[in-house]
Structure formats: structure tokens, C-alpha cells
Amino acid sequence: MTLPQHLLDRLAASAVAEGLADAVYTRLKTPIGTLTIVQGERGVVRVGFEDDPVDRVLAEVAAGLGPRIVASDAELAATRETLEAYFEGTDERLDLPVDFVLVRSAFRREALEELRRVGAGQVVTYGELARRIDHPKAARAVGTACATNPIPIVVPCHRVLPGSGGVGNYGGGPEIKRRLLAHEGALLL
């Protein structure tokens, strides 16, 4: 038996209000595929691409935050609206709270925090991002931080390019990276 959506939304709202949910998630259709967005009490903790199995994304969050994860479009309405505005091109700031609880090291967290300062339409190399966090020889480690970024798009690792040229790799695939950069005006397709 499946409950009607309005009852599921009420249950999710009650769970959040009572502190019974560790996280809330929603699925959002975008021009780059359906994303899974998971948010905890302090902000977005995980964004999964269409090719990322939802169960695996939620298992990663459960391991880091706890197993009580509920689905609710209504509880994440503001997050959904911000991402929709980004993809519609009406507001590319992606000004959402994030929680780096799933980031495994202080270095990676520092690199990803600095990455949030790279605005839409801008790009930076891995080496430049390493210099910005006072680790000028750590370009590869910055690459690892980007490769393991649990919050792509919101923490815009697509804006980091290899110093040798090209777009490099990306969790959603190089074509998605190209499309995001083109959407922001940083790359012509």
C-alpha cells in the first residue's frame, strides 16, 4: 500500500519538526538529469547525479548522519527553488547552506570551502585552488577533494579545470561538466 503524497509530506514535516529525521531528500528533474538532493539539519550534505543509485546515495548519508532519512519535496521547497533558479538561469549563485559532514578530511573540506568562492562563469585550475588554500604543491590532493565532493553543483567542482587544458574528469561525467560550464557561460560547446 502506498500512501498519498500529501500524507507522506505531512509525515515528513512532522518527523522534521519533532527532530526524528536525520535528513530529508528530494529528487529534482534538471537539464542534466534527475538529481537526488539530501539535506540535514545544517544544510545540503549530498547531491547525487542521475547515474548514482538513490539507495547508494542514501546509504552514504545514513552512514554519516544516521538512518532516519525521509523523502519530501515540500520540506526541501527552498532548496528545490534555488536549484531550479540556477538551471533556469535566473539566479546562478546557488546560495544554499551546506554541511561537509561527509567530507573525510580537514584538507578536503578546506579546498571545497574555498571552491564555493569561485562564482558562476568563473573557472580555476587545481593548482590555483591549491595555492588559494596555502598548499601550492597539492594540486593532485585538490583534485581528489573535487573527485570525492559529496555536494557537486552546489559546491561547484565543475568549475575546476586541469592546468594542462581541457575540462578533465567529473563525477557526473565530462559531458555534464561541459554542459554546466556552458550553462554558466564559462565554456562554449
Side-chain angles (χ1 to χ4, degrees):
M1 176 179 156
T2 303
L3 294 174
Q5 189 60 49
H6 73 280
L7 288 178
L8 292 171
D9 284 338
R10 285 178 55 193
L11 285 171
S14 293
V16 170
E18 296 294 324
L20 300 175
D22 297 314
V24 181
Y25 80 97
T26 187
R27 303 265 297 148
L28 180 66
K29 291 183 181 179
T30 74
I32 61 166
T34 301
L35 301 176
T36 302
I37 298 105
V38 188
Q39 188 165 313
E41 187 177 331
R42 293 181 295 189
V44 179
V45 296
R46 184 74 168 87
V47 173
F49 291 105
E50 188 162 33
D51 290 344
D52 296 327
V54 176
D55 290 346
R56 190 185 79 205
V57 170
L58 297 180
E60 290 172 17
V61 174
L65 278 180
R68 301 174 304 174
I69 303 172
V70 295
S72 177
D73 294 346
E75 284 297 309
L76 294 181
T79 300
R80 291 175 63 86
E81 289 169 8
T82 298
L83 284 159
E84 287 167 347
Y86 168 79
F87 283 108
E88 291 167 0
T90 59
D91 187 352
E92 294 185 336
R93 291 176 298 147
L94 289 169
D95 190 20
L96 290 167
V98 298
D99 182 351
F100 290 113
V101 68
L102 301 180
V103 177
R104 294 185 180 187
S105 76
F107 175 86
R108 290 179 185 177
R109 190 170 15 264
E110 183 179 9
L112 295 176
E113 286 170 352
E114 180 61 32
L115 181 53
R116 290 204 76 197
R117 293 180 181 87
V118 178
Q122 301 174 350
V123 294
V124 65
T125 64
Y126 295 103
E128 175 58 27
L129 190 58
R131 283 188 287 284
R132 288 185 185 187
I133 60 170
D134 295 325
H135 294 279
K137 295 182 181 190
R140 284 187 180 199
V142 164
T144 299
C146 290
T148 59
N149 175 12
I151 316 169
I153 303 169
V154 177
V155 177
C157 50
H158 62 277
R159 296 178 187 154
V160 185
L161 304 175
S164 59
V167 296
N169 293 319
Y170 187 61
E175 182 56 32
I176 298 286
K177 185 173 185 173
R178 281 187 199 87
R179 289 176 60 193
L180 289 168
L181 290 169
H183 168 72
E184 295 178 357
L187 179 74
L188 297 175
L189 285 180

